[in-house]
């Protein structure tokens, strides 16, 4: 489902950088601009400047800059499409898609129904002695249950039916969001009846699914999750991510656990930057989600065989996203919920003693005496290293393994990383200028040559579709076959020199905007700074950034 270029361009023209950023930061007026503490790095003196006139923001501390759209993508961790949709909703711009088979209004209805059902279950918990007793015995505080909107599904289906009649919710909608079974004889049942219910939100805060926990050992399975629906794809959602988003952004690291109770118990002892996989295998999409907020993850999975296997799979994906991985070994038979019940000091100790995953494997290699097992751990270490996108880091880690084992580096081969995530399909249209088409086609056919001679791809001005496609090509060793094919069909020739000339023009446009932004900010700068700035502009206009 691709957003139409018309919608993208209208959003880019309409979205005001001050309107958007002022919803997240306390902006203080300074001349014709506004300033604030930068949300992207730690600082005591405000260096984050917002210019309504230029419709741009710029941090003079860390160098981060952009538009309302790029701010939303970086701050909220949204995809390009989600950021466009959020801005479109803010400015009441109709979102048009290139494919009409998806009824967006229908999806909105399903989100609304899910939110109403969350309130229903939550109110039912208030009247359920069994439900409240279960949470009390599991040490889940009332404030925690309220924050995560935990509820209870009653045994009697009539309570749900009466609520839906009152709220004018068609029974068919309940089936679509995956909370009821409908039988051939017309009868219906709530899949979560008699269970504690955990609402599941996506990264935008929308309620998309539910998880149910049985109240007794006689009720099986112990945990029951919603099936996949039009609004819920389990591979793209992490439980607690939306609630933890601010903490993840601030701390830059996450604790990853498996279950609801693990997460809630850790949350109660002060670990607010925690997310849960809900017992399913960690996925590429979940890794992409975390990548936008953290650069380090601590795996705190169960100490059983399944937990260790899940840790290995998760570590591979996290490494492929450039995230450092740490492993927090738990005592045999214990899970994070058990550890949290021992108090915050115990949890802090476990987190503090977590080990770099690769260093942990090296230790295992050194102490393992059995040749076969030692070889298996070495293979696992190499497989982990192969996921890391930074080739220099790969080389250093291989060297470290060689030093620890005495094996020659030439014997320690790594496999090519094949964890390529397919992004949503991008609409390619006439909205790309001829120069943009030349650049993209040349990037696809002569990427290495172009990168050798131009290194300012993060500093060029272009249309929304162009910037999105450049990011797609540069960030991957291999791009989606369909996107590649459509780029190759552009009615222009691939030409390195022509592409370099077009890139140079786009860099000059960016640099001019940057200079205008500096001069419009009314910030205190000395003469030396201004002289250097003028020299930079002169070099840009005369010499550019293309390498001969």
């Amino acid at each position: 489902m691709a957003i139409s270029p018309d919608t993208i361009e209208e959003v880019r023209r309409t979205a005001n950088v001050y309107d958007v950023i002022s919803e997240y930061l306390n902006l203080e007026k300074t001349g014709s601009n506004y300033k604030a503490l930068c949300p992207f790095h730690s600082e005591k003196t405000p260096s984050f400047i917002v210019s309504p006139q230029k419709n741009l923001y710029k941090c003079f501390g860390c160098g981060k800059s952009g538009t309302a759209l790029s701010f939303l993508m970086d701050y909220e961790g949204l995809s390009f499409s989600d950021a466009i949709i959020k801005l479109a909703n803010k400015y009441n711009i109709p979102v048009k898609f290139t494919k009409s088979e998806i009824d967006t209004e229908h999806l909105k209805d399903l989100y609304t129904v899910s939110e109403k059902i969350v309130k229903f279950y939550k109110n039912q918990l208030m009247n359920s002695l069994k439900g409240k007793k279960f949470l009390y015995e599991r040490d889940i505080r009332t404030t925690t249950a309220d924050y995560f909107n935990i509820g209870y599904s009653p045994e009697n289906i009539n309570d749900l039916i009466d609520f839906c009649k009152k709220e004018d919710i068609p029974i068919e909608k309940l089936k679509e969001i995956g909370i009821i079974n409908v039988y051939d004889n017309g009868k219906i049942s709530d899949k979560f009846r008699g269970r504690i219910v955990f609402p599941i939100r996506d990264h935008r805060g929308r309620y998309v699914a539910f998880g149910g926990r049985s109240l007794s050992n006689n009720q099986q399975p112990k945990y029951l999750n919603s099936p996949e629906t039009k609004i819920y794809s389990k591979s793209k959602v992490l439980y607690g991510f939306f609630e933890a988003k601010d903490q993840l952004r601030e701390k830059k690291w996450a604790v990853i656990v498996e279950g609801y109770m693990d997460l809630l118990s850790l949350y109660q002892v002060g670990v607010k930057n925690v997310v849960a996989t809900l017992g399913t295998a960690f996925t590429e999409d979940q890794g992409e989600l975390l990548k936008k907020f953290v650069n380090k993850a601590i795996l705190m999975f169960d100490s059983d065989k399944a937990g260790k296997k899940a840790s290995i799979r998760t570590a591979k994906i996290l490494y492929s996203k450039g995230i450092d991985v740490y492993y927090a070994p738990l005592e045999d038979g214990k899970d994070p919920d058990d550890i949290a019940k021992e108090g915050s000091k115990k949890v802090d100790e476990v987190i503090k003693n977590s080990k770099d995953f690769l260093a942990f494997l090296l230790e295992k290699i050194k102490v393992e005496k059995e040749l076969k097992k030692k070889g298996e751990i070495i293979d696992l270490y190499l497989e982990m290293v192969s996921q890391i996108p930074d080739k220099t880091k790969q080389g250093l880690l291989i060297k470290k393994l060689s030093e620890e084992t005495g094996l020659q580096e030439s014997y320690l081969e790594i496999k090519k990383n094949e964890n390529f995530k397919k992004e949503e399909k991008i609409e390619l249209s006439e909205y790309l200028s001829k120069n943009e088409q030349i650049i993209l086609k040349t990037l696809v056919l002569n990427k290495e040559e172009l990168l050798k001679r131009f290194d300012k791809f993060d500093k060029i001005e272009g249309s929304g579709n162009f910037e999105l496609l450049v990011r797609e090509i540069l960030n991957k060793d291999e791009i989606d076959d369909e996107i590649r094919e459509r780029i190759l069909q552009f009615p222009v020739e691939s030409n390195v020199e022509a592409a370099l000339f077009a890139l140079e023009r786009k860099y000059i446009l960016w640099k001019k905007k940057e200079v205008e932004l500096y001069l419009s900010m009314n910030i205190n700068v000395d003469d030396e700074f201004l002289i250097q700035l003028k020299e930079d502009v002169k070099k840009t206009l005369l010499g550019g950034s293309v390498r001969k």
Side-chain angles (χ1 to χ4, degrees):
M1 179 175 62
I3 300 174
S4 76
D6 287 333
T7 299
I8 293 173
E9 292 305 316
E10 186 175 356
V11 166
R12 285 166 62 89
R13 285 195 308 268
T14 307
N16 180 274
V17 71
Y18 173 79
D19 289 346
V20 173
I21 296 180
S22 62
E23 292 182 359
Y24 298 88
L25 307 178
N26 292 320
L27 298 177
E28 179 185 340
K29 191 167 179 60
T30 171
S32 60
N33 302 305
Y34 294 83
K35 65 180 180 180
L37 292 173
C38 180
F40 303 115
H41 81 287
S42 298
E43 64 177 5
K44 294 181 180 179
T45 303
S47 61
F48 185 87
I49 307 296
V50 175
S51 172
Q53 292 179 338
K54 302 294 182 184
N55 209 19
L56 296 168
Y57 72 85
K58 168 79 177 180
C59 176
F60 291 90
C62 67
K64 202 86 170 176
S65 63
T67 63
L69 180 62
S70 61
F71 178 85
L72 267 188
M73 291 173 68
D74 291 334
Y75 189 85
E76 287 277 7
L78 300 178
S79 67
F80 180 83
S81 295
D82 283 343
I84 286 289
I85 291 171
K86 185 161 186 172
L87 288 173
N89 291 335
K90 175 180 173 62
Y91 291 100
N92 295 316
I93 298 171
V95 179
K96 300 174 184 176
F97 295 89
T98 55
K99 294 183 180 179
S100 58
E101 69 269 17
I102 302 255
D103 185 347
T104 54
E105 289 302 318
H106 182 64
L107 295 182
K108 285 182 181 178
D109 287 344
L110 295 183
Y111 290 125
T112 300
V113 169
S114 289
E115 188 169 357
K116 289 181 178 179
I117 296 303
V118 168
K119 293 177 182 176
F120 168 74
Y121 285 145
K122 190 173 182 179
N123 288 333
Q124 290 296 314
L125 176 63
M126 295 172 63
N127 301 318
S128 170
L129 292 176
K130 286 195 301 182
K132 288 189 287 189
K133 181 184 177 185
F134 174 84
L135 293 178
Y136 175 78
E137 290 175 347
R138 294 301 301 267
D139 295 327
I140 300 300
R141 301 172 196 146
T142 304
T143 52
T144 303
D146 183 62
Y147 182 70
F148 286 91
N149 290 299
I150 297 172
Y152 172 76
S153 175
E155 293 279 359
N156 190 346
I157 189 65
N158 290 327
D159 292 331
L160 178 60
I161 292 174
D162 291 343
F163 173 80
C164 289
K165 287 179 179 177
K166 181 181 176 183
E167 294 291 328
D168 197 26
I169 300 173
I171 295 299
E172 184 61 30
K173 292 286 177 66
L174 299 183
K175 184 179 178 181
E176 286 192 73
I177 64 172
I179 69 167
I180 64 168
N181 293 313
V182 179
Y183 303 99
D184 293 338
N185 60 8
K187 288 187 177 181
I188 65 173
S189 65
D190 186 338
K191 292 180 181 179
F192 303 107
R193 64 187 179 280
R195 293 173 179 265
I196 289 293
V197 178
F198 305 94
I200 301 171
R201 306 171 90 169
D202 66 9
H203 63 289
R204 293 174 61 184
R206 300 173 299 193
Y207 292 101
V208 294
F210 301 88
R213 169 63 159 88
S214 63
L215 301 186
S216 68
N217 293 329
N218 297 327
Q219 191 178 21
Q220 294 296 325
K222 185 176 179 180
Y223 285 100
L224 184 66
N225 292 329
S226 291
E228 298 246 333
T229 67
K230 289 180 180 178
I231 61 173
Y232 176 54
S233 175
K234 64 182 180 182
S235 68
K236 296 181 179 180
V237 176
L238 283 167
Y239 181 66
F241 178 84
F242 179 76
E243 290 82 358
K245 195 154 60 169
D246 289 341
Q247 288 290 314
L248 295 173
R249 183 187 296 110
E250 180 181 335
K251 293 178 182 276
K252 301 297 182 187
W253 59 276
V255 174
I256 305 177
V257 296
E258 292 182 277
Y260 303 100
M261 302 307 294
D262 295 329
L263 183 144
L264 296 172
S265 295
L266 288 176
Y267 178 88
Q268 289 189 153
V269 295
V271 182
K272 304 295 175 66
N273 53 325
V274 57
V275 296
T277 62
L278 300 184
T280 60
F282 192 79
T283 67
E284 291 280 326
D285 287 313
Q286 291 167 339
E288 283 290 326
L289 196 58
L290 282 177
K291 173 185 174 181
K292 297 171 183 176
F293 289 82
V294 305
N295 49 39
K296 171 184 170 183
I298 298 175
L299 307 183
M300 199 182 289
F301 291 170
D302 293 358
S303 56
D304 57 14
K305 187 176 180 180
K308 291 175 181 176
K309 190 175 180 181
S311 295
I312 291 172
R313 173 183 167 79
T314 304
K316 289 178 184 177
I317 293 174
L318 291 171
Y319 276 129
S320 76
K321 307 303 175 187
I323 298 174
D324 293 331
V325 184
Y326 283 69
Y327 179 58
L330 303 181
E331 299 171 34
D332 287 343
K334 290 191 174 183
D335 58 26
D337 183 24
D338 298 322
I339 300 298
K341 284 178 171 52
E342 296 181 39
S344 59
K345 287 186 177 180
K346 179 63 176 178
V347 172
D348 290 343
E349 179 185 330
V350 170
I351 290 175
K352 184 179 179 181
N353 292 333
S354 63
K355 302 175 181 178
D356 177 282
F357 202 92
L358 292 172
F360 174 76
L361 291 179
L362 275 180
E363 289 180 15
K364 291 286 186 183
I365 292 169
K366 285 192 287 185
V367 300
E368 182 57 58
K369 301 299 182 184
E370 189 179 330
L371 196 59
K372 183 179 178 182
K373 286 186 178 179
K374 184 188 283 282
E376 289 174 350
I377 303 173
I378 289 174
D379 286 342
L380 177 58
Y381 180 97
L382 291 171
E383 193 173 353
M384 292 290 179
V385 173
S386 74
Q387 309 302 312
I388 298 172
D390 186 335
K391 301 300 181 184
T392 302
K393 191 172 182 179
Q394 277 189 0
L396 292 173
L397 290 167
I398 295 297
K399 184 177 180 181
K400 181 72 173 174
L401 177 61
S402 175
E403 291 171 351
E404 294 291 346
T405 60
L407 295 170
Q408 292 182 26
E409 290 184 43
S410 58
Y411 295 147
L412 302 173
E413 296 182 0
I414 62 174
K415 300 175 183 177
K416 183 181 178 183
N417 178 11
E418 295 179 352
N419 285 331
F420 300 120
K421 173 182 175 286
K422 289 194 174 183
E423 303 282 348
E424 60 183 295
K425 298 296 181 290
I426 304 167
E427 178 67 13
L428 309 184
S429 72
E430 69 275 9
Y431 285 84
L432 291 169
S433 69
K434 183 178 179 180
N435 279 341
E436 288 176 341
Q437 292 180 37
I438 291 172
I439 292 169
L440 290 169
K441 195 167 186 177
T442 307
L443 257 181
V444 168
L445 296 175
N446 302 93
K447 180 178 176 180
E448 190 174 335
E449 174 66 17
L450 213 51
L451 291 178
K452 282 180 181 177
R453 298 181 60 186
F454 187 85
D455 60 358
K456 299 285 191 297
F457 279 97
D458 60 330
K459 297 175 180 178
I460 54 177
E461 280 289 312
S463 66
N465 282 334
F466 173 73
E467 292 176 6
L468 185 59
L469 286 164
V470 168
R471 191 182 303 119
E472 168 84 8
I473 297 169
L474 293 182
N475 290 346
K476 295 185 176 182
D477 293 334
E478 296 178 8
I479 64 170
D480 182 89
D481 288 339
E482 183 180 343
I483 294 174
R484 176 186 172 85
E485 193 60 35
R486 291 161 77 184
I487 290 175
L488 293 179
Q489 291 175 3
F490 286 161
V492 295
E493 293 294 325
S494 169
N495 185 294
V496 173
E497 295 303 324
L500 287 169
F501 179 81
L503 284 166
E504 182 66 12
R505 298 309 98 190
K506 287 185 174 294
Y507 174 64
I508 289 173
L509 285 174
W510 176 88
K511 193 68 178 179
K512 282 183 177 178
K513 275 195 173 183
E514 196 76 351
V515 171
E516 289 173 1
L517 193 58
Y518 268 102
L519 299 178
S520 71
M521 291 305 184
N522 294 322
I523 56 174
N524 293 322
V525 294
D526 54 26
D527 292 338
E528 185 180 344
F529 174 85
L530 290 173
I531 292 170
Q532 184 59 50
L533 184 60
K534 289 177 181 178
E535 286 298 315
D536 288 343
V537 176
K538 186 176 179 181
K539 286 178 183 177
T540 300
L541 296 176
L542 297 178
S545 58
V546 172
R547 296 168 184 165
K548 304 299 180 185

